[in-house]
Amino acid sequence: MSSLTQVGWYWNRLRCMSVSEIVERAGATAGRAMVRRRLPEPVAAPRLDRVGVSWLPVTVPALRGVALQRADEVLSGQWRIFSRLMGLGFPPEWNRNPDKAVLLPLTDGKRMSFRATAVVGDIKYLRELNRHRELVVLAQAWQLTGRERYLDGIATLLESWFAECPHPCGPNWSSALEAGVRLINWAIVWQLIGGMQSPLFERPVGKVLRTDWLGSIWQHAEFICGFRSSDSATSHPLIGELAGLFVAGATWPQWREAQRWRRVGRDGLEREVLRQTAADGVHKEQATGYQQFVWDFLLFAGLAARGTGKPFSETYWRRMEAMLEYVAGIMDSGGHVPLFGDSDDSVVSGLSIGAGACLFQSQLATGAMLFGNPSLARKAGVLDPRTVWLLGADVCTGFDRLLLQRAPATRRTDFPEGGVFVLGSNLDSPDELRVVADAGPLGLGGVAAHAHADALSFTLSVAGRQFLIDPGTGTYHGPGKWRHGFRGSAMHNTLVLGGEDQAVSGGRFMWLRRFRTSVLEREDGPDSDRLVAEHDGYRRLPGKPVHRRSWLLDKRKGCLRVKDQVFAGTSQNVTLYWHFSEDCNVTCTPEGLSVSSGPICLDMVLPEGGAVSVLHGSEVPLAGWVSRGYDLVEPSTTVVWRGSVMPGEALETVFRRL
């Protein structure tokens, strides 16, 4: 990136920040610069007579998941980075980015820049490798089998990491969030292998490993204290950093600093869970991928606090329950959750990758047991191995009791603060029709980094099969056309004016000009559901247009009518985009379009007039794609309608189940 481009980038960020945020960031930057100028402090000597709390039940569950398979993959040098199985060796080179196989230097980690992806590769690949979730899988495998090779594997990986990643040098000392994730996984491993008295530490070489490990734990926690996100950042990295700090303080009280780690972590998390999550449970980044990421951070910190005998507040836990009720509301009967906003496949714990279950359904099962909530149990459907590792073997009986209560699986359908509404008939049954409409704000904070320009978009599922989808994220650091395309308005089921996005982008993780949404009507009756909302994102265009959309679902006929209107001073050129799942087959008929997925069929009738095109895997224009995983895209089908409308003229699109 040229110096001129960097100046423009920073200027755009400043434009999006409040005065208080600018002042706080400037103070934090100055403080961090002073920290960098100091030589690294010597590691404080731990008191080995102090034992941390045990916040995991160390019992071998009957539900094993795929932990053994994953553990054997790791020992053979095969690592799962995002959805790819990569041969990186055992141990891997911890500073070599799996993307482009570039070996990054051991310079000051906090001064390293990773924007030149053509040179250093996408840094997310390297960070995935260094989150150490695989160590958790090895610890699980040792618990399940008692085989020493899994314990030896943990030792080999740790020893190599300490040797190759000296504090504070290299890419693995560049992010406080990554330090927090590592600490959480290390804490899980520590407990699963027996803590301070683990067999891993019995021999002299093991005692050296324990000393090195404790020293790195102290460095990680102090690194977070020195470089954590500013309190004004109000986004998920801050929650992850605070969670890692608290978990470290609870698991390893061997230093006097541990009390400070717990205090800072507790106070920050109690504050941020309310600042970053609406009362209705929608995380304000408006990104379902980060919704699950944040919930796990809150969970691990909450379990650690409970283990100390000083649990977090009831308000904290109630907000976590609300977050799960939101997920239950937007999840269809097939277990699909809309891909609203950004997602980078972030997973906190190796307990998840060793379970082999859907992350959202696993969280619902865990929440069902934590809160005694039968609706969450019904939505989860089954108890997964991760929940048993987290809460103990006795949860199996308790989960069955919750299922027998036959509570409704979808307890709430309206999430007004988050701006998400569910319209549906026969919810959570084989005949379900579920519409999830997004009438919410753009995102969180001054730049809304992980939000998409998706005002008044929606998804449509029938009988647990996805029809209209949110195509997902694509990439963060890959080609710009994919990054900007997937977060733009045209890649969502909404109306676009003049080929423009509803919000003005300032970069890959920045929106310069936002939109405001307003819900005008909401009715939920026995025979029909209705929602009317509008947004002002296009008022910057000639005629100052406002887009209004209404959804009317006839529950008895299985018919959804979507009406779009543009209120402006002049006529407008409009485009309607309809993105279908890759499992859908779309064909033209004399009356309109026929869309099928397996045995389920829909008729689709488009507005009269205009030009219709059906695109599949198109790069110009970018349409007909879906991204089910980070940095992965595959062809799907997009139906596009283009035309011109007079002010207030209605365009109606009809979907009818056959």
Side-chain angles (χ1 to χ4, degrees):
M1 181 183 291
S2 69
S3 59
L4 185 61
T5 304
Q6 283 186 319
V7 169
W9 187 85
Y10 285 115
W11 170 244
N12 283 334
R13 284 192 71 89
L14 286 173
R15 289 175 59 193
C16 298
M17 295 179 192
S18 65
V19 174
S20 61
E21 187 174 356
I22 292 172
V23 172
E24 181 176 344
R25 283 173 179 260
T29 300
R32 290 167 187 166
M34 293 181 65
V35 171
R36 289 193 192 102
R37 282 197 293 269
R38 294 200 305 262
L39 292 174
E41 297 181 18
V43 176
R47 288 188 54 179
L48 301 184
D49 59 334
R50 290 185 179 176
V51 178
V53 300
S54 177
W55 47 271
L56 282 181
V58 186
T59 56
V60 179
L63 301 173
R64 296 192 173 196
V66 295
L68 287 178
Q69 175 190 337
R70 296 285 189 269
D72 289 338
E73 285 178 354
V74 172
L75 292 181
S76 68
Q78 299 294 312
W79 300 74
R80 292 185 179 267
I81 308 297
F82 300 120
S83 57
R84 302 163 178 80
L85 193 62
M86 294 184 168
L88 303 179
F90 186 86
E93 292 182 85
W94 296 107
N95 294 307
R96 188 177 295 279
N97 193 344
D99 184 36
K100 301 187 185 303
V102 179
L103 183 64
L104 300 184
L106 287 179
T107 55
D108 182 349
K110 290 304 294 182
R111 293 182 183 274
M112 297 182 76
S113 173
F114 306 107
R115 294 204 179 102
T117 54
V119 178
V120 302
D122 186 339
I123 192 60
K124 290 197 63 59
Y125 284 80
L126 183 69
R127 287 178 172 168
E128 282 290 299
L129 174 65
N130 284 274
R131 286 181 169 180
H132 285 191
R133 293 181 302 235
E134 289 77 12
L135 273 70
V136 174
V137 175
L138 292 174
Q140 288 178 293
W142 178 74
Q143 276 280 343
L144 290 167
T145 67
R147 294 172 188 160
E148 194 170 309
R149 65 192 184 99
Y150 296 119
L151 217 54
D152 291 342
I154 293 171
T156 299
L157 294 178
L158 287 172
E159 288 166 350
S160 64
W161 197 89
F162 300 148
E164 293 181 25
C165 306
H167 172 264
C169 301
N172 293 311
W173 290 101
S174 63
S175 166
L177 172 61
E178 298 306 310
V181 175
R182 260 194 308 276
L183 282 174
I184 290 173
N185 282 303
W186 284 358
I188 295 170
V189 172
W190 185 269
Q191 293 174 87
L192 289 178
I193 66 173
M196 192 71 75
Q197 305 305 320
S198 169
L200 186 62
F201 308 136
E202 288 178 352
R203 291 173 290 182
V205 68
K207 290 180 171 56
V208 173
L209 172 62
R210 182 175 63 186
T211 299
D212 291 344
W213 195 0
L214 288 171
S216 191
I217 289 163
W218 184 88
Q219 289 171 333
H220 273 69
E222 287 297 292
F223 179 81
I224 294 174
C225 289
F227 296 104
R228 68 183 176 89
S229 303
S230 65
D231 289 341
S232 64
T234 59
S235 60
H236 73 268
L238 180 56
I239 284 182
E241 294 154 11
L242 292 167
L245 194 62
F246 183 86
V247 167
T251 309
W252 298 286
Q254 280 81 10
W255 306 273
R256 57 183 176 82
E257 291 90 346
Q259 186 174 358
R260 169 167 52 85
W261 304 341
R262 294 193 300 273
R263 184 186 70 252
V264 172
R266 177 188 294 273
D267 293 346
L269 288 169
E270 290 276 11
R271 178 189 68 245
E272 291 303 316
V273 71
L274 301 181
R275 288 176 65 186
Q276 295 194 35
T277 307
D280 58 17
V282 182
H283 188 254
K284 294 179 183 178
E285 284 189 297
Q286 302 292 125
T288 48
Y290 288 118
Q291 177 102 10
Q292 71 81 19
F293 196 44
V294 164
W295 196 86
D296 261 9
F297 281 127
L298 298 173
L299 171 68
F300 288 115
L303 293 177
R306 197 169 65 175
T308 67
K310 296 179 180 179
F312 288 160
S313 69
E314 188 70 14
T315 302
Y316 179 95
W317 289 105
R318 293 281 78 81
R319 189 59 55 95
M320 286 183 64
E321 185 176 16
M323 292 175 72
L324 292 183
E325 290 191 338
Y326 167 63
V327 170
I330 64 175
M331 179 185 286
D332 69 18
S333 60
H336 307 108
V337 174
L339 300 172
F340 293 152
D342 273 350
S343 174
D344 60 0
D345 295 353
S346 289
V347 177
V348 175
S349 164
L351 291 176
S352 298
I353 67 172
C358 166
L359 292 174
F360 288 107
Q361 289 180 313
S362 173
Q363 290 180 341
L364 292 171
T366 302
M369 298 310 304
L370 284 174
F371 309 121
N373 188 322
S375 291
L376 297 182
R378 293 285 293 179
K379 196 71 183 198
V382 296
L383 188 67
D384 68 299
R386 192 187 89 135
T387 299
V388 181
W389 282 100
L390 284 170
L391 303 181
D394 58 346
V395 298
C396 299
T397 302
F399 190 82
D400 290 342
R401 282 199 296 265
L402 290 176
L403 286 178
L404 290 173
Q405 294 185 34
R406 298 193 174 277
T410 300
R411 194 157 75 171
R412 289 192 291 140
T413 55
D414 287 11
F415 306 91
E417 288 187 65
V420 179
F421 298 85
V422 178
L423 295 76
S425 62
N426 303 313
L427 294 180
D428 304 303
S429 77
D431 293 324
E432 173 186 270
L433 191 154
R434 186 181 298 256
V435 173
V436 183
D438 182 359
L442 179 62
L444 180 63
V447 298
H450 291 296
H452 289 186
D454 57 358
L456 310 190
S457 182
F458 68 99
T459 62
L460 170 64
S461 295
V462 182
R465 292 178 175 268
Q466 294 179 300
F467 279 79
L468 290 177
I469 60 170
D470 186 308
T473 298
T475 185
Y476 284 174
H477 304 296
K481 72 171 185 177
W482 295 101
R483 172 58 178 159
H484 297 300
F486 269 90
R487 69 200 292 257
S489 299
M491 199 62 96
H492 297 85
N493 300 310
T494 190
L495 177 145
V496 173
L497 291 182
E500 298 281 341
D501 286 334
Q502 300 158 339
V504 178
S505 175
R508 290 173 181 258
F509 298 97
M510 186 191 315
W511 294 102
L512 296 179
R513 182 165 180 165
R514 308 163 76 114
F515 53 72
R516 290 177 297 178
T517 55
S518 302
V519 175
L520 306 179
E521 299 178 40
R522 172 63 170 133
E523 300 173 8
D524 182 4
D527 297 327
S528 65
D529 273 2
R530 177 176 169 81
L531 175 68
V532 182
E534 65 182 23
H535 76 87
D536 65 356
Y538 289 122
R539 285 186 65 83
R540 68 185 190 274
L541 301 181
K544 297 185 176 181
V546 172
H547 173 212
R548 180 179 298 174
R549 169 169 279 183
S550 66
W551 296 262
L552 178 62
L553 175 64
D554 186 325
K555 297 182 180 181
R556 295 186 183 276
K557 296 181 179 179
C559 178
L560 174 67
R561 297 180 180 274
V562 182
K563 183 170 70 174
D564 290 288
Q565 296 170 280
V566 180
F567 297 95
T570 60
S571 63
Q572 300 288 324
N573 293 322
V574 306
T575 309
L576 288 168
Y577 290 91
W578 307 106
H579 301 277
F580 290 94
S581 164
E582 65 275 30
D583 295 329
C584 289
N585 182 39
V586 181
T587 56
C588 296
T589 67
E591 295 77 24
L593 295 168
S594 175
V595 187
S596 63
S597 178
I600 309 300
C601 296
L602 295 179
D603 268 348
M604 180 181 181
V605 180
L606 294 165
E608 294 183 359
V612 179
S613 54
V614 179
L615 303 177
H616 187 79
S618 169
E619 294 195 32
V620 181
L622 191 67
W625 299 96
V626 61
S627 175
R628 297 289 182 184
Y630 181 76
D631 219 16
L632 284 178
V633 295
E634 61 179 306
S636 62
T637 300
T638 298
V639 175
V640 182
W641 183 96
R642 290 184 174 87
S644 179
V645 295
M646 298 300 293
E649 180 183 351
L651 300 173
E652 187 173 70
T653 307
V654 181
F655 302 88
R656 182 178 290 106
R657 181 177 180 180
L658 298 180

